[in-house]
Short mmCIF file of all heavy atoms in Angstrom, two decimals:
data_model
loop_
_atom_site.label_atom_id
_atom_site.label_comp_id
_atom_site.label_asym_id
_atom_site.label_seq_id
_atom_site.Cartn_x
_atom_site.Cartn_y
_atom_site.Cartn_z
N MET V 1 135.33 103.13 101.79
CA MET V 1 134.07 102.56 102.20
C MET V 1 133.78 101.26 101.47
O MET V 1 132.92 100.53 101.91
CB MET V 1 132.93 103.54 101.95
CG MET V 1 132.71 104.46 103.11
SD MET V 1 131.11 105.26 103.13
CE MET V 1 131.03 106.03 101.56
N ALA V 2 134.44 100.99 100.39
CA ALA V 2 134.15 99.79 99.61
C ALA V 2 134.41 98.52 100.41
O ALA V 2 133.83 97.49 100.12
CB ALA V 2 134.96 99.78 98.32
N ASN V 3 135.25 98.59 101.43
CA ASN V 3 135.49 97.42 102.27
C ASN V 3 134.64 97.49 103.54
O ASN V 3 135.05 97.06 104.61
CB ASN V 3 136.98 97.28 102.60
CG ASN V 3 137.49 98.44 103.44
OD1 ASN V 3 136.83 99.46 103.55
ND2 ASN V 3 138.67 98.28 104.00
N TYR V 4 133.42 97.98 103.40
CA TYR V 4 132.52 98.18 104.54
C TYR V 4 132.24 96.88 105.29
O TYR V 4 131.99 96.90 106.48
CB TYR V 4 131.21 98.81 104.08
CG TYR V 4 130.34 97.88 103.27
CD1 TYR V 4 129.39 97.07 103.89
CD2 TYR V 4 130.47 97.78 101.90
CE1 TYR V 4 128.61 96.21 103.16
CE2 TYR V 4 129.70 96.93 101.17
CZ TYR V 4 128.77 96.13 101.79
OH TYR V 4 127.99 95.26 101.07
N SER V 5 132.29 95.74 104.61
CA SER V 5 131.94 94.49 105.28
C SER V 5 132.90 94.18 106.43
O SER V 5 132.51 93.59 107.42
CB SER V 5 131.90 93.34 104.28
OG SER V 5 133.15 93.18 103.66
N GLU V 6 134.15 94.59 106.30
CA GLU V 6 135.10 94.40 107.39
C GLU V 6 134.66 95.17 108.64
O GLU V 6 134.83 94.71 109.76
CB GLU V 6 136.50 94.86 106.98
CG GLU V 6 137.13 94.02 105.90
CD GLU V 6 138.47 94.59 105.46
OE1 GLU V 6 139.10 95.33 106.24
OE2 GLU V 6 138.87 94.30 104.33
N HIS V 7 134.09 96.34 108.44
CA HIS V 7 133.67 97.19 109.55
C HIS V 7 132.29 96.79 110.06
O HIS V 7 132.05 96.83 111.26
CB HIS V 7 133.66 98.65 109.14
CG HIS V 7 134.99 99.14 108.67
ND1 HIS V 7 136.04 99.37 109.53
CD2 HIS V 7 135.46 99.41 107.42
CE1 HIS V 7 137.10 99.77 108.84
NE2 HIS V 7 136.76 99.80 107.57
N SER V 8 131.39 96.41 109.14
CA SER V 8 130.03 96.09 109.55
C SER V 8 130.00 94.86 110.44
O SER V 8 129.13 94.74 111.30
CB SER V 8 129.12 95.92 108.34
OG SER V 8 129.51 94.79 107.57
N MET V 9 130.95 93.95 110.26
CA MET V 9 131.01 92.76 111.11
C MET V 9 131.30 93.17 112.56
O MET V 9 130.95 92.45 113.49
CB MET V 9 132.06 91.79 110.60
CG MET V 9 131.65 91.15 109.30
SD MET V 9 132.89 90.10 108.47
CE MET V 9 133.93 89.52 109.74
N LYS V 10 131.91 94.32 112.74
CA LYS V 10 132.22 94.82 114.08
C LYS V 10 131.13 95.76 114.59
O LYS V 10 131.25 96.32 115.67
CB LYS V 10 133.56 95.56 114.05
CG LYS V 10 134.73 94.70 113.65
CD LYS V 10 135.98 95.52 113.51
CE LYS V 10 137.11 94.69 112.94
NZ LYS V 10 138.30 95.51 112.66
N GLY V 11 130.09 95.98 113.78
CA GLY V 11 129.00 96.86 114.19
C GLY V 11 129.16 98.29 113.74
O GLY V 11 128.41 99.16 114.15
N TYR V 12 130.14 98.57 112.89
CA TYR V 12 130.36 99.91 112.36
C TYR V 12 129.93 99.96 110.90
O TYR V 12 130.30 99.09 110.12
CB TYR V 12 131.83 100.31 112.46
CG TYR V 12 132.35 100.34 113.87
CD1 TYR V 12 133.13 99.31 114.36
CD2 TYR V 12 132.05 101.42 114.70
CE1 TYR V 12 133.59 99.34 115.66
CE2 TYR V 12 132.51 101.45 116.00
CZ TYR V 12 133.29 100.41 116.47
OH TYR V 12 133.74 100.44 117.76
N TRP V 13 129.18 100.96 110.55
CA TRP V 13 128.70 101.11 109.17
C TRP V 13 129.18 102.45 108.63
O TRP V 13 128.62 103.49 108.96
CB TRP V 13 127.17 101.05 109.13
CG TRP V 13 126.66 99.69 109.46
CD1 TRP V 13 126.39 99.19 110.70
CD2 TRP V 13 126.42 98.63 108.55
NE1 TRP V 13 125.97 97.90 110.60
CE2 TRP V 13 125.97 97.53 109.29
CE3 TRP V 13 126.52 98.52 107.16
CZ2 TRP V 13 125.64 96.33 108.70
CZ3 TRP V 13 126.18 97.33 106.58
CH2 TRP V 13 125.75 96.24 107.34
N PRO V 14 130.23 102.45 107.82
CA PRO V 14 130.71 103.71 107.24
C PRO V 14 129.70 104.25 106.23
O PRO V 14 129.28 103.52 105.33
CB PRO V 14 132.03 103.32 106.56
CG PRO V 14 131.90 101.87 106.29
CD PRO V 14 131.01 101.30 107.36
N LEU V 15 129.31 105.47 106.41
CA LEU V 15 128.31 106.09 105.54
C LEU V 15 128.82 107.44 105.06
O LEU V 15 129.49 108.15 105.81
CB LEU V 15 126.99 106.29 106.29
CG LEU V 15 126.34 105.04 106.87
CD1 LEU V 15 125.15 105.42 107.72
CD2 LEU V 15 125.94 104.08 105.76
N PRO V 16 128.46 107.82 103.84
CA PRO V 16 128.85 109.15 103.38
C PRO V 16 128.03 110.21 104.11
O PRO V 16 126.94 109.93 104.61
CB PRO V 16 128.51 109.14 101.88
CG PRO V 16 127.43 108.14 101.77
CD PRO V 16 127.70 107.10 102.83
N HIS V 17 128.56 111.40 104.17
CA HIS V 17 127.83 112.50 104.79
C HIS V 17 126.54 112.73 104.01
O HIS V 17 126.55 112.76 102.78
CB HIS V 17 128.70 113.77 104.77
CG HIS V 17 128.09 114.88 105.52
ND1 HIS V 17 127.21 115.77 104.96
CD2 HIS V 17 128.21 115.24 106.83
CE1 HIS V 17 126.82 116.64 105.87
NE2 HIS V 17 127.42 116.34 107.01
N PRO V 18 125.41 112.87 104.71
CA PRO V 18 124.14 113.06 104.01
C PRO V 18 123.99 114.48 103.45
O PRO V 18 123.29 115.32 103.99
CB PRO V 18 123.10 112.78 105.09
CG PRO V 18 123.80 113.15 106.36
CD PRO V 18 125.25 112.80 106.15
N SER V 19 124.67 114.73 102.37
CA SER V 19 124.66 116.06 101.76
C SER V 19 124.25 115.96 100.30
O SER V 19 124.61 115.00 99.62
CB SER V 19 126.08 116.65 101.85
OG SER V 19 126.19 117.79 101.04
N PRO V 20 123.52 116.94 99.79
CA PRO V 20 123.18 116.93 98.36
C PRO V 20 124.42 116.93 97.48
O PRO V 20 124.37 116.49 96.34
CB PRO V 20 122.38 118.22 98.17
CG PRO V 20 121.88 118.58 99.53
CD PRO V 20 122.90 118.04 100.50
N ARG V 21 125.53 117.39 98.00
CA ARG V 21 126.77 117.41 97.22
C ARG V 21 127.32 116.01 96.97
O ARG V 21 128.19 115.82 96.14
CB ARG V 21 127.83 118.24 97.92
CG ARG V 21 127.47 119.70 97.98
CD ARG V 21 128.55 120.48 98.66
NE ARG V 21 128.24 121.89 98.62
CZ ARG V 21 129.09 122.83 98.94
NH1 ARG V 21 130.29 122.52 99.36
NH2 ARG V 21 128.73 124.08 98.88
N ASN V 22 126.81 115.01 97.68
CA ASN V 22 127.29 113.64 97.52
C ASN V 22 126.60 112.89 96.39
O ASN V 22 126.88 111.73 96.17
CB ASN V 22 127.12 112.86 98.82
CG ASN V 22 128.16 113.26 99.83
OD1 ASN V 22 129.20 113.79 99.47
ND2 ASN V 22 127.87 113.02 101.08
N ARG V 23 125.72 113.53 95.68
CA ARG V 23 125.04 112.86 94.56
C ARG V 23 126.03 112.33 93.54
O ARG V 23 125.85 111.25 93.00
CB ARG V 23 124.04 113.81 93.90
CG ARG V 23 122.87 114.12 94.78
CD ARG V 23 121.91 115.05 94.09
NE ARG V 23 120.91 115.49 95.06
CZ ARG V 23 120.19 116.56 94.92
NH1 ARG V 23 120.33 117.31 93.85
NH2 ARG V 23 119.32 116.90 95.84
N HIS V 24 127.08 113.08 93.28
CA HIS V 24 128.10 112.64 92.34
C HIS V 24 128.77 111.36 92.84
O HIS V 24 128.96 110.40 92.09
CB HIS V 24 129.14 113.75 92.12
CG HIS V 24 130.25 113.37 91.22
ND1 HIS V 24 130.09 113.25 89.85
CD2 HIS V 24 131.54 113.06 91.46
CE1 HIS V 24 131.23 112.89 89.30
NE2 HIS V 24 132.14 112.77 90.27
N TRP V 25 129.12 111.34 94.12
CA TRP V 25 129.75 110.15 94.69
C TRP V 25 128.81 108.96 94.62
O TRP V 25 129.21 107.85 94.24
CB TRP V 25 130.16 110.42 96.15
CG TRP V 25 130.92 109.27 96.73
CD1 TRP V 25 132.27 109.09 96.68
CD2 TRP V 25 130.38 108.15 97.41
NE1 TRP V 25 132.60 107.90 97.30
CE2 TRP V 25 131.44 107.31 97.75
CE3 TRP V 25 129.09 107.76 97.76
CZ2 TRP V 25 131.27 106.11 98.44
CZ3 TRP V 25 128.92 106.56 98.43
CH2 TRP V 25 130.00 105.76 98.77
N LEU V 26 127.54 109.16 94.99
CA LEU V 26 126.57 108.07 94.94
C LEU V 26 126.38 107.56 93.51
O LEU V 26 126.26 106.36 93.29
CB LEU V 26 125.23 108.53 95.52
CG LEU V 26 125.22 108.76 97.02
CD1 LEU V 26 123.94 109.47 97.45
CD2 LEU V 26 125.39 107.45 97.77
N ARG V 27 126.37 108.44 92.56
CA ARG V 27 126.22 108.05 91.16
C ARG V 27 127.41 107.22 90.70
O ARG V 27 127.27 106.28 89.92
CB ARG V 27 126.04 109.30 90.30
CG ARG V 27 125.52 109.05 88.92
CD ARG V 27 125.14 110.32 88.14
NE ARG V 27 125.98 111.48 88.39
CZ ARG V 27 125.59 112.58 89.05
NH1 ARG V 27 124.38 112.66 89.54
NH2 ARG V 27 126.41 113.59 89.23
N ASN V 28 128.60 107.55 91.19
CA ASN V 28 129.82 106.84 90.78
C ASN V 28 130.09 105.59 91.61
O ASN V 28 131.04 104.86 91.32
CB ASN V 28 131.03 107.77 90.88
CG ASN V 28 130.99 108.84 89.81
OD1 ASN V 28 130.43 108.65 88.75
ND2 ASN V 28 131.57 109.98 90.12
N ASN V 29 129.29 105.36 92.64
CA ASN V 29 129.48 104.20 93.51
C ASN V 29 128.14 103.48 93.72
O ASN V 29 127.60 103.46 94.83
CB ASN V 29 130.07 104.64 94.85
CG ASN V 29 131.46 105.19 94.70
OD1 ASN V 29 132.41 104.44 94.62
ND2 ASN V 29 131.57 106.51 94.65
N PRO V 30 127.60 102.87 92.67
CA PRO V 30 126.28 102.25 92.79
C PRO V 30 126.24 101.09 93.78
O PRO V 30 125.18 100.74 94.29
CB PRO V 30 125.98 101.76 91.37
CG PRO V 30 127.31 101.64 90.72
CD PRO V 30 128.18 102.70 91.35
N TRP V 31 127.40 100.50 94.09
CA TRP V 31 127.44 99.41 95.07
C TRP V 31 126.89 99.84 96.42
O TRP V 31 126.36 99.03 97.18
CB TRP V 31 128.87 98.88 95.24
CG TRP V 31 129.83 99.94 95.70
CD1 TRP V 31 130.62 100.73 94.92
CD2 TRP V 31 130.06 100.36 97.04
NE1 TRP V 31 131.34 101.60 95.69
CE2 TRP V 31 131.01 101.39 97.02
CE3 TRP V 31 129.57 99.95 98.28
CZ2 TRP V 31 131.46 102.03 98.17
CZ3 TRP V 31 130.03 100.59 99.42
CH2 TRP V 31 130.96 101.62 99.35
N PHE V 32 127.00 101.15 96.71
CA PHE V 32 126.55 101.64 98.01
C PHE V 32 125.06 101.38 98.20
O PHE V 32 124.64 100.81 99.20
CB PHE V 32 126.86 103.14 98.15
CG PHE V 32 126.39 103.71 99.45
CD1 PHE V 32 127.10 103.50 100.60
CD2 PHE V 32 125.22 104.45 99.51
CE1 PHE V 32 126.66 104.02 101.82
CE2 PHE V 32 124.77 104.96 100.71
CZ PHE V 32 125.49 104.75 101.87
N GLU V 33 124.26 101.78 97.22
CA GLU V 33 122.82 101.57 97.33
C GLU V 33 122.43 100.14 97.01
O GLU V 33 121.42 99.65 97.51
CB GLU V 33 122.08 102.54 96.41
CG GLU V 33 122.16 103.97 96.91
CD GLU V 33 121.39 104.94 96.04
OE1 GLU V 33 121.56 104.88 94.80
OE2 GLU V 33 120.64 105.75 96.60
N GLN V 34 123.22 99.46 96.20
CA GLN V 34 122.87 98.09 95.80
C GLN V 34 123.24 97.06 96.86
O GLN V 34 122.53 96.06 97.01
CB GLN V 34 123.56 97.74 94.48
CG GLN V 34 123.06 98.56 93.32
CD GLN V 34 123.94 98.40 92.09
OE1 GLN V 34 124.97 97.75 92.11
NE2 GLN V 34 123.51 99.02 91.00
N ARG V 35 124.34 97.26 97.57
CA ARG V 35 124.82 96.25 98.52
C ARG V 35 124.79 96.73 99.96
O ARG V 35 124.26 96.05 100.84
CB ARG V 35 126.23 95.81 98.15
CG ARG V 35 126.29 95.06 96.86
CD ARG V 35 127.61 94.32 96.66
NE ARG V 35 128.79 95.03 97.11
CZ ARG V 35 129.73 95.52 96.31
NH1 ARG V 35 129.62 95.38 95.01
NH2 ARG V 35 130.78 96.13 96.79
N LEU V 36 125.40 97.88 100.22
CA LEU V 36 125.53 98.31 101.61
C LEU V 36 124.19 98.66 102.24
O LEU V 36 123.89 98.20 103.34
CB LEU V 36 126.48 99.51 101.71
CG LEU V 36 126.80 99.93 103.15
CD1 LEU V 36 128.25 100.35 103.26
CD2 LEU V 36 125.90 101.03 103.64
N LEU V 37 123.37 99.45 101.58
CA LEU V 37 122.10 99.87 102.19
C LEU V 37 121.19 98.69 102.53
O LEU V 37 120.64 98.66 103.64
CB LEU V 37 121.39 100.89 101.31
CG LEU V 37 121.98 102.30 101.34
CD1 LEU V 37 121.13 103.25 100.50
CD2 LEU V 37 122.12 102.82 102.75
N PRO V 38 121.00 97.72 101.64
CA PRO V 38 120.16 96.57 102.03
C PRO V 38 120.72 95.82 103.24
O PRO V 38 119.96 95.39 104.12
CB PRO V 38 120.15 95.68 100.78
CG PRO V 38 120.41 96.62 99.65
CD PRO V 38 121.36 97.65 100.21
N GLU V 39 122.04 95.66 103.31
CA GLU V 39 122.64 94.99 104.47
C GLU V 39 122.43 95.81 105.74
O GLU V 39 122.14 95.25 106.80
CB GLU V 39 124.12 94.74 104.23
CG GLU V 39 124.38 93.67 103.20
CD GLU V 39 125.86 93.40 103.02
OE1 GLU V 39 126.63 93.54 103.99
OE2 GLU V 39 126.25 93.05 101.89
N LEU V 40 122.57 97.11 105.64
CA LEU V 40 122.35 97.98 106.79
C LEU V 40 120.89 97.90 107.24
O LEU V 40 120.60 97.82 108.44
CB LEU V 40 122.73 99.42 106.46
CG LEU V 40 122.47 100.46 107.54
CD1 LEU V 40 123.21 100.13 108.82
CD2 LEU V 40 122.86 101.85 107.04
N GLN V 41 119.96 97.90 106.29
CA GLN V 41 118.54 97.80 106.64
C GLN V 41 118.25 96.49 107.37
O GLN V 41 117.50 96.48 108.35
CB GLN V 41 117.68 97.91 105.38
CG GLN V 41 117.69 99.30 104.79
CD GLN V 41 117.07 99.36 103.40
OE1 GLN V 41 117.02 98.36 102.68
NE2 GLN V 41 116.61 100.54 103.02
N GLN V 42 118.84 95.40 106.91
CA GLN V 42 118.65 94.12 107.58
C GLN V 42 119.22 94.16 109.00
O GLN V 42 118.62 93.62 109.93
CB GLN V 42 119.30 92.99 106.79
CG GLN V 42 118.57 92.63 105.53
CD GLN V 42 119.28 91.53 104.75
OE1 GLN V 42 120.39 91.13 105.09
NE2 GLN V 42 118.63 91.06 103.71
N ALA V 43 120.38 94.77 109.16
CA ALA V 43 120.99 94.86 110.48
C ALA V 43 120.11 95.66 111.43
O ALA V 43 119.93 95.28 112.60
CB ALA V 43 122.38 95.49 110.37
N VAL V 44 119.54 96.75 110.95
CA VAL V 44 118.66 97.57 111.79
C VAL V 44 117.41 96.78 112.15
O VAL V 44 116.97 96.80 113.30
CB VAL V 44 118.31 98.90 111.08
CG1 VAL V 44 117.21 99.65 111.80
CG2 VAL V 44 119.56 99.76 110.94
N ARG V 45 116.84 96.06 111.18
CA ARG V 45 115.66 95.23 111.48
C ARG V 45 115.98 94.19 112.55
O ARG V 45 115.17 93.95 113.45
CB ARG V 45 115.16 94.53 110.21
CG ARG V 45 114.40 95.45 109.30
CD ARG V 45 113.74 94.66 108.17
NE ARG V 45 113.43 95.57 107.10
CZ ARG V 45 114.09 95.67 105.95
NH1 ARG V 45 115.10 94.86 105.69
NH2 ARG V 45 113.74 96.55 105.04
N ARG V 46 117.15 93.56 112.45
CA ARG V 46 117.55 92.56 113.45
C ARG V 46 117.66 93.20 114.83
O ARG V 46 117.23 92.62 115.83
CB ARG V 46 118.89 91.93 113.08
CG ARG V 46 118.76 90.73 112.17
CD ARG V 46 120.06 89.94 112.12
NE ARG V 46 121.22 90.75 111.76
CZ ARG V 46 121.61 91.02 110.52
NH1 ARG V 46 120.94 90.55 109.49
NH2 ARG V 46 122.68 91.75 110.29
N ILE V 47 118.24 94.38 114.90
CA ILE V 47 118.38 95.07 116.18
C ILE V 47 117.02 95.32 116.81
O ILE V 47 116.80 95.04 117.99
CB ILE V 47 119.17 96.39 116.02
CG1 ILE V 47 120.63 96.09 115.68
CG2 ILE V 47 119.05 97.26 117.26
CD1 ILE V 47 121.41 97.29 115.21
N PHE V 48 116.10 95.84 116.02
CA PHE V 48 114.78 96.14 116.57
C PHE V 48 114.01 94.87 116.91
O PHE V 48 113.30 94.83 117.90
CB PHE V 48 113.97 97.02 115.61
CG PHE V 48 114.36 98.47 115.70
CD1 PHE V 48 115.17 99.03 114.73
CD2 PHE V 48 113.95 99.25 116.76
CE1 PHE V 48 115.54 100.36 114.81
CE2 PHE V 48 114.33 100.58 116.85
CZ PHE V 48 115.12 101.13 115.87
N SER V 49 114.13 93.83 116.11
CA SER V 49 113.41 92.60 116.43
C SER V 49 114.03 91.91 117.64
O SER V 49 113.33 91.31 118.44
CB SER V 49 113.39 91.65 115.23
OG SER V 49 114.69 91.17 114.94
N ASP V 50 115.34 92.01 117.83
CA ASP V 50 116.00 91.43 119.00
C ASP V 50 115.59 92.15 120.27
O ASP V 50 115.58 91.55 121.35
CB ASP V 50 117.52 91.49 118.87
CG ASP V 50 118.05 90.50 117.84
OD1 ASP V 50 117.27 89.62 117.41
OD2 ASP V 50 119.22 90.62 117.46
N ASP V 51 115.23 93.41 120.16
CA ASP V 51 114.79 94.19 121.33
C ASP V 51 113.30 94.00 121.61
O ASP V 51 112.77 94.61 122.53
CB ASP V 51 115.07 95.68 121.13
CG ASP V 51 116.56 96.00 121.23
OD1 ASP V 51 117.31 95.15 121.75
OD2 ASP V 51 116.95 97.08 120.79
N GLY V 52 112.65 93.18 120.80
CA GLY V 52 111.24 92.94 121.01
C GLY V 52 110.34 94.00 120.43
O GLY V 52 109.16 94.04 120.72
N ILE V 53 110.87 94.86 119.60
CA ILE V 53 110.07 95.90 118.98
C ILE V 53 109.58 95.35 117.65
O ILE V 53 110.35 95.02 116.78
CB ILE V 53 110.89 97.19 118.74
CG1 ILE V 53 111.37 97.73 120.06
CG2 ILE V 53 110.05 98.23 117.99
CD1 ILE V 53 112.33 98.90 119.93
N SER V 54 108.29 95.23 117.50
CA SER V 54 107.76 94.70 116.25
C SER V 54 107.48 95.83 115.28
O SER V 54 107.31 96.98 115.66
CB SER V 54 106.47 93.91 116.50
OG SER V 54 105.41 94.79 116.80
N SER V 55 107.43 95.48 114.01
CA SER V 55 107.17 96.49 112.99
C SER V 55 105.75 97.04 113.08
O SER V 55 105.46 98.07 112.50
CB SER V 55 107.44 95.92 111.58
OG SER V 55 106.58 94.81 111.36
N SER V 56 104.87 96.36 113.79
CA SER V 56 103.49 96.86 113.92
C SER V 56 103.36 97.91 114.99
O SER V 56 102.34 98.58 115.08
CB SER V 56 102.54 95.69 114.22
OG SER V 56 102.89 95.11 115.45
N ASN V 57 104.38 98.07 115.84
CA ASN V 57 104.33 99.13 116.85
C ASN V 57 104.43 100.49 116.20
O ASN V 57 105.23 100.69 115.32
CB ASN V 57 105.48 98.99 117.85
CG ASN V 57 105.30 97.81 118.79
OD1 ASN V 57 104.22 97.25 118.88
ND2 ASN V 57 106.36 97.44 119.45
N ASN V 58 103.64 101.41 116.69
CA ASN V 58 103.69 102.78 116.19
C ASN V 58 104.57 103.58 117.14
O ASN V 58 104.17 103.84 118.26
CB ASN V 58 102.27 103.37 116.09
CG ASN V 58 102.27 104.74 115.45
OD1 ASN V 58 103.33 105.26 115.10
ND2 ASN V 58 101.11 105.31 115.30
N LEU V 59 105.77 103.95 116.68
CA LEU V 59 106.71 104.64 117.55
C LEU V 59 106.61 106.16 117.46
O LEU V 59 107.36 106.84 118.09
CB LEU V 59 108.14 104.20 117.20
CG LEU V 59 108.40 102.70 117.36
CD1 LEU V 59 109.83 102.39 116.90
CD2 LEU V 59 108.20 102.25 118.77
N THR V 60 105.67 106.66 116.68
CA THR V 60 105.56 108.11 116.56
C THR V 60 104.53 108.66 117.51
O THR V 60 103.72 108.01 118.06
CB THR V 60 105.16 108.51 115.12
OG1 THR V 60 103.96 107.85 114.76
CG2 THR V 60 106.27 108.19 114.17
#
């Protein structure tokens, strides 16, 4: 996953399985939360803004 940028350019975001057992992996790979997650958040924001969905819309 450390080479995630190669995949994210193609629209794929490799993510660890969302399991409590992954805490050890997350602790040993701080780059995931420091670099990958902010980039993923920006990509998601771009997708929603490109679709005309504003952050002020209440989707719930």
Side-chain angles (χ1 to χ4, degrees):
M1 272 199 305
N3 64 346
Y4 70 91
S5 60
E6 293 176 23
H7 302 287
S8 65
M9 291 173 27
K10 298 174 187 174
Y12 299 102
W13 292 88
L15 301 173
H17 187 272
S19 168
R21 293 181 175 191
N22 285 339
R23 291 180 190 159
H24 178 73
W25 185 89
L26 290 169
R27 195 171 36 250
N28 290 332
N29 295 279
W31 59 266
F32 179 78
E33 290 182 312
Q34 294 168 355
R35 293 194 321 248
L36 187 142
L37 285 183
E39 289 182 31
L40 176 59
Q41 290 169 336
Q42 288 178 353
V44 170
R45 283 189 200 105
R46 273 194 306 274
I47 291 167
F48 280 102
S49 67
D50 288 347
D51 287 344
I53 299 173
S54 73
S55 60
S56 63
N57 288 346
N58 186 358
L59 300 176
T60 56

